[in-house]
Amino acid sequence: MGGFLGFVYRQWTVKPKPLPPALSLSGKTALITGANSGLGLEAARELVSRRLSRLIIAVRDPSKVWPLDHDSYESIAGFGKRTEKLERLDYALLNAGVKMMSYEKSALGHETNVQINHLGTSAVSLAVLPALNKTSKKFNTSTRLTIVSSEGHFWIPFKERTASNILMHMDDPKTFGTQQQRYYTSKLLNVLWTRELASKISPEEVVVNTVNPGFCYSGLHRHSASFINVFLWLFAWTPEQGGSCLTDALVRQGGSHGAYVSEQRLTAPSPFVLSPEGATVQKKIWSETIALLKQEAPAIDMSMVA
């Protein structure tokens, strides 16, 4: 798992399957971030086709659905408060993300991949926890929170891990790296955050996992170099197949918690994540993220993990 040849083999041989037609999500409510296009949209369509009672699509454009901007903590806090007013929230799929190929500073002052993919996603995960927890207690059922990561978390050196403050260090343009390194690092942060978040929440209340949707045709690649089109032609899954990977991780994979789901099965994350050093960095990333959010986003409810 994790090597280029393994990646090629899986992309050519694995054929993700949609949810069983007989599976019914009647009575359930789900929210998906970044579901206005691509894999998120296909996941939304598949959930609705399985008789989901209510679907909330959260994107930056407020004219379309529930507004949610990962580069605004005010937006994230408001979104969380709105979810708490729902009658129930059974599933939350945090799919929104970017892949920036050159250094850009976000509106909040952090490197954009880190802000949108890690800090924003982490803040949203905390903001929706109260609604998921309330549902689990009210209806005596486990709810599910799934964060979209990437197999790319296997492939980066993560040199920033030795810095005294990792997240602050990653705001320095000199640390950005080349090509997709920073994007893949942000996906590693997703895995580390998910594992630590899961350690602080009972799976009987909220099951927390992360998922690799595979390499798929998607607008995510719009900032990539032109040669990406060759890789897409050779190896990519369809958006529908990627969406099925997301829905599978969201509503199936029973008995999991803090897990990494890839090719629609529970899979070991990268050796670094499982190493003693990875465990130490995982807790460091958690502490730094919580401290940053307490300072920059005090309106977000963090009581479940305090």
Side-chain angles (χ1 to χ4, degrees):
M1 181 68 184
F4 180 73
L5 292 179
F7 159 78
V8 170
Y9 176 78
R10 288 187 299 278
Q11 288 290 138
W12 277 348
T13 61
V14 175
K15 303 298 180 185
K17 297 178 175 59
L19 296 171
L23 186 149
S24 175
L25 301 176
S26 177
K28 305 288 189 179
T29 296
L31 75 81
I32 305 177
T33 67
N36 57 314
S37 63
L39 276 59
L41 178 59
E42 296 304 328
R45 287 172 171 161
E46 188 169 334
L47 293 179
V48 170
S49 74
R50 298 313 187 266
R51 297 169 288 285
L52 184 74
S53 292
R54 185 174 186 182
L55 173 65
I56 298 161
I57 294 177
V59 298
R60 284 184 297 174
D61 185 348
S63 68
K64 295 183 177 180
V65 278
W66 283 25
L68 176 63
D69 184 354
H70 281 213
D71 205 7
S72 166
Y73 292 129
E74 181 180 1
S75 173
I76 293 171
F79 181 80
K81 296 298 182 185
R82 192 172 181 182
T83 63
E84 291 185 49
K85 297 178 182 178
L86 291 168
E87 172 66 19
R88 66 186 298 159
L89 179 61
D90 301 273
Y91 305 109
L93 176 62
L94 306 192
N95 167 73
V98 297
K99 184 172 72 171
M100 306 303 295
M101 304 296 284
S102 60
Y103 184 93
E104 289 187 17
K105 185 174 288 187
S106 71
L108 288 169
H110 303 291
E111 191 278 316
T112 297
N113 287 287
V114 174
Q115 175 61 53
I116 304 302
N117 298 347
H118 171 61
L119 294 173
T121 295
S122 299
V124 174
S125 71
L126 297 176
V128 301
L129 274 179
L132 291 164
N133 187 54
K134 183 179 74 172
T135 298
S136 70
K137 292 180 177 178
K138 182 177 180 179
F139 297 99
N140 192 30
T141 184
S142 287
T143 54
R144 300 180 71 95
L145 170 64
T146 302
I147 295 175
V148 177
S149 181
S150 168
E151 182 176 358
H153 85 274
F154 279 80
W155 302 340
I156 43 89
F158 195 27
K159 296 178 181 178
E160 303 92 335
R161 70 187 186 278
T162 61
S164 57
N165 186 300
I166 297 171
L167 296 179
M168 185 181 298
H169 189 56
M170 293 175 78
D171 283 339
D172 184 345
K174 295 178 182 177
T175 69
F176 188 80
T178 59
Q179 295 297 319
Q180 302 182 99
Q181 283 185 348
R182 178 51 58 85
Y183 168 72
Y184 288 147
T185 301
S186 72
K187 297 286 99 179
L188 172 59
L189 297 182
N190 288 155
V191 175
L192 297 175
W193 172 265
T194 299
R195 287 168 64 87
E196 191 65 18
L197 178 61
S199 74
K200 300 179 183 303
I201 300 172
S202 168
E204 295 179 356
E205 297 176 348
V206 185
V207 174
V208 182
N209 289 323
T210 186
V211 58
N212 165 39
F215 181 60
C216 306
Y217 285 98
S218 168
L220 180 70
H221 307 297
R222 61 186 177 275
H223 298 295
S224 299
S226 58
F227 69 78
I228 193 68
N229 293 322
V230 176
F231 279 85
L232 289 168
W233 179 73
L234 288 172
F235 306 125
W237 292 338
T238 66
E240 292 83 359
Q241 289 173 316
S244 291
C245 289
L246 300 185
T247 58
D248 171 84
L250 184 65
V251 306
R252 305 185 79 190
Q253 303 301 333
S256 60
H257 188 55
Y260 173 69
V261 183
S262 188
E263 297 96 46
Q264 298 185 317
R265 61 187 178 88
L266 300 182
T267 306
S270 72
F272 170 76
V273 170
L274 298 176
S275 71
E277 183 185 14
T280 299
V281 172
Q282 175 178 308
K283 293 187 180 300
K284 182 174 173 60
I285 289 295
W286 173 269
S287 297
E288 289 183 10
T289 304
I290 291 293
L292 186 151
L293 293 177
K294 284 183 176 179
Q295 178 180 350
E296 298 186 4
I300 295 175
D301 184 358
M302 304 184 197
S303 58
M304 284 190 62
V305 297

